[in-house]
């Protein structure tokens, strides 16, 4: 497995996104555990989750609990960096709400610590800006958690360039990751990716294949990805992830998966070398 860095931690160049294993349409627990274990066996050392990755109101942190169980039952579990997030909520009706208050973020972190069964969270990220709370106050809570040793590294998600700079300043230059949506269908995070490249901050694209329900449509929706895939004898999904990896050494995609075969296919992207012409063709989509 090829590796990249988040802060001072070396991780697999592609991580596993846990959300599909816990929200609507999720599989049974056995298949989810098999998916996580297959990823670990293949060399994955980064798993992304959040306390909001659950379906029903009474099961906050479902995905964190699932991941903790999977890691505890595998010999390689101790070698994995778990990245979780706080600041998003799911009332149980399918909607997503926000609470970026320092009080909530600190309480959410404590709850995540308990579910993950750790003394300190490897990477904790502010999930999404809350328009009711000054951004500096939300990130200030993350800074406090870092200073207190409750978290080992700090990141932000769904942030624009201005907020990346602001967060890094509030954190005293200790911002290690930015997790934004980025895919062939969603290119508006290019400025954030470039800024992360300049600053040496890991950029973690979420929904890199276009989302849970549309990942399988990548080749049909974007013909160049299908053409390049056919030329290499691989899936359009592999091409997509290889294209992202080629953009910058700070990029660490976290494709979501709920089946062993899909995460294993995604991981094949680390060995796929695209030509400059192919990358240019995909950039032009």
């Amino acid at each position: 497995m090829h590796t990249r860095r988040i802060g001072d931690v070396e991780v697999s160049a592609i991580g596993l996104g846990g959300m599909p294993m816990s929200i609507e349409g999720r599989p049974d627990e056995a298949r989810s555990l098999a998916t996580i274990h297959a990823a670990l066996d293949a060399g994955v050392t980064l798993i992304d989750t959040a306390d909001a990755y659950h379906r029903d109101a009474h099961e906050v942190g479902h995905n964190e609990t699932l991941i903790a169980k999977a890691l505890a039952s595998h010999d390689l579990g101790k070698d994995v960096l778990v990245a979780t997030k706080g600041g998003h909520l799911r009332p149980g009706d399918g909607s997503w709400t926000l609470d970026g208050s320092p009080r909530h973020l600190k309480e959410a972190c404590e709850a995540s610590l308990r579910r993950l069964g750790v003394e300190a969270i490897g990477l904790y990220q502010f999930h999404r800006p809350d328009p009711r709370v000054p951004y500096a106050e939300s990130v200030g809570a993350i800074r406090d958690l870092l200073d207190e040793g409750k978290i080992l590294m700090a990141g932000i998600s769904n942030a624009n360039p201005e907020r990346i700079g602001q967060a890094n300043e509030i954190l005293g230059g200790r911002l290690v990751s930015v997790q934004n949506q980025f895919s062939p269908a969603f290119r508006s995070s290019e400025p954030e990716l470039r800024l992360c490249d300049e600053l040496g901050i890991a950029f973690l694209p979420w929904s890199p294949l276009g989302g849970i329900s549309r990942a399988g449509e990548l080749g049909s929706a974007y013909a160049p990805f299908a053409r390049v895939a056919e030329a290499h004898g691989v899936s359009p999904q592999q091409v997509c992830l290889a294209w992202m990896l080629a953009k910058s050494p700070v990029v660490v995609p976290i494709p979501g998966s709920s089946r062993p075969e899909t995460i294993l296919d995604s991981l094949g992207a680390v060995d796929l070398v695209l030509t400059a012409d192919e990358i240019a063709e995909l950039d032009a989509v």
Side-chain angles (χ1 to χ4, degrees), residues 272-284:
L272 176 59
V273 179
L274 303 177
T275 68
D277 288 344
E278 289 170 337
I279 292 171
E281 180 183 6
L282 299 175
D283 281 340

Side-chain angles (χ1 to χ4, degrees), residues 148-169:
E148 294 165 8
K150 299 291 181 66
I151 66 177
L152 301 180
M153 295 188 293
I156 54 176
S157 185
N158 302 297
N160 60 26
E162 179 182 359
R163 283 176 167 154
I164 293 172
Q166 183 184 6
N168 199 31
E169 182 177 355

Side-chain angles (χ1 to χ4, degrees), residues 213-227:
S213 62
R214 303 185 65 180
E217 302 172 7
L218 182 63
S220 58
Y222 299 95
F225 286 87
R227 284 198 296 271

